[in-house]
Amino acid sequence: MSSQNADSLVEVKAVNKHYGALHVLKDIELNVAKGEVVVVIGPSGSGKSTLCRTINRLETIDDGEIRVDGKVLPQEGKELARLRAEVGMVFQAFNLFAHKTILENVTLGPIKVKGLSKSEAEQEAMALLERVGVAQQAAKLPAQLSGGQQQRVAIARALAMKPKVMLFDEPTSALDPEMINEVLDVMVGLAKDGMTMIVVTHEMGFARKAADRVVFMADGQIIEDATPEEFFNNPKSTRAKDFLSKIL
Ligand code: ADP
Ligand code: MG
């Protein structure tokens, strides 16, 4: 079960959120320890994306508390931008800046938010592009890359901010099947390097390989929080059993 201790890097406590009458997050409790990889799964509409978005304040919460490395994110302002940089986010749609080169996509944040010089930022960016296997494409525009390559650039761009935790929201769902593994391989590598990660995905192979815990959400609630072995071999709730029978 979730560990409540001094090593918690992400702490979500009694969080509720509504969209109008829709109660989209219901008393969510989630602690993610430093270096831990948590995979979040569940049916469409269960609140997985909303949970991710609240963690870096892309969405507000009604009540409860979210801390990253002990700090509550402020609602707005410069401090928010600085603290938000500690949470890297990778979305289903790669969201690269279409009119900037791959290299510029990765250097922009470090120059603007972290105040790095162009040459420092470029040096770090090239090392990251190397790490995700797209250094050859640095001078190109996003549209000249495959979806898998663009998503790997999006990962490099998030890493360039030196985040303490990386959130992935269905990072391979928009990809052609043959490109899924090249992105998952980068994520497995990150996990092995000790990155703290929260990953919303339906890729159960990834969950089995890389997750320390699987969190199952349905209807805005966390229904199960277990190791991959426990969850896949012995899901406790009917809803998790139903869900697994549909996707496995
Ligand atoms: P998931 O990622 O698990 O598919 P979401 O977090 O995207 O679920 O959505 C949870 C619920 O909240 C859904 O019913 C969705 O329609 C609703 N929802 C999501 N975003 C908004 C929004 N900006 N305004 C109103 N309703 C929303
Ligand atoms: Mg979603």
Side-chain angles (χ1 to χ4, degrees):
M1 286 301 289
S2 56
S3 51
Q4 174 87 56
N5 60 43
D7 287 340
S8 279
L9 190 62
V10 178
E11 297 165 85
V12 178
K13 284 184 205 155
V15 163
N16 283 282
K17 178 172 181 67
H18 292 78
Y19 285 121
L22 181 67
H23 198 175
V24 62
L25 295 178
K26 298 173 183 164
D27 279 321
I28 297 289
E29 298 277 339
L30 180 67
N31 288 294
V32 181
K34 208 168 174 197
E36 202 173 21
V37 177
V38 173
V39 163
V40 180
I41 65 172
S44 177
S46 54
K48 307 178 300 294
S49 293
T50 304
L51 176 60
C52 282
R53 293 166 61 82
T54 59
I55 291 174
N56 69 350
R57 276 273 191 273
L58 289 170
E59 295 283 356
T60 57
I61 55 179
D62 300 340
D63 52 64
E65 190 177 80
I66 298 176
R67 289 178 184 267
V68 176
D69 203 16
K71 284 167 289 204
V72 178
L73 295 198
Q75 293 284 354
E76 55 191 22
K78 264 221 157 117
E79 182 70 356
L80 173 61
R82 205 176 59 75
L83 288 175
R84 195 180 262 161
E86 297 184 347
V87 181
M89 184 121 190
V90 176
F91 302 91
Q92 181 173 333
F94 330 120
N95 296 326
L96 296 176
F97 300 111
H99 302 292
K100 296 196 182 291
T101 66
I102 296 309
L103 184 63
E104 287 165 347
N105 264 277
V106 180
T107 57
L108 195 70
I111 292 170
K112 271 199 162 168
V113 179
K114 299 223 147 185
L116 261 64
S117 70
K118 190 163 177 249
S119 68
E120 266 178 310
E122 286 183 349
Q123 206 176 337
E124 291 187 7
M126 285 310 297
L128 286 169
L129 291 173
E130 195 78 53
R131 181 171 173 189
V132 302
V134 287
Q136 301 293 322
Q137 325 292 332
K140 294 185 181 168
L141 291 171
Q144 295 174 279
L145 273 59
S146 73
Q149 289 173 324
Q150 290 187 55
Q151 193 59 307
R152 285 182 281 145
V153 173
I155 294 172
R157 182 176 61 174
L159 291 173
M161 299 301 280
K162 300 197 168 68
K164 289 179 175 162
V165 54
M166 286 280 287
L167 305 183
F168 294 86
D169 189 2
E170 302 206 28
T172 60
S173 296
L175 296 176
D176 292 335
E178 73 272 19
M179 292 170 187
I180 290 175
N181 279 332
E182 66 194 50
V183 172
L184 293 178
D185 286 349
V186 168
M187 293 165 60
V188 170
L190 272 181
K192 286 201 175 124
D193 289 346
M195 176 60 77
T196 308
M197 294 163 64
I198 298 174
V199 183
V200 179
T201 185
H202 296 302
E203 294 293 332
M204 296 301 115
F206 174 82
R208 285 181 187 273
K209 204 186 298 181
D212 296 299
R213 277 158 57 204
V214 173
V215 165
F216 176 71
M217 280 185 82
D219 269 341
Q221 280 176 302
I222 292 180
I223 309 277
E224 302 203 26
D225 184 341
T227 65
E229 296 74 38
E230 281 169 357
F231 182 74
F232 291 117
N233 299 334
N234 188 22
K236 300 212 165 30
S237 63
T238 315
R239 307 182 89 149
K241 284 177 194 161
D242 280 355
F243 180 75
L244 286 172
S245 74
K246 280 179 197 134
I247 62 158
L248 291 180

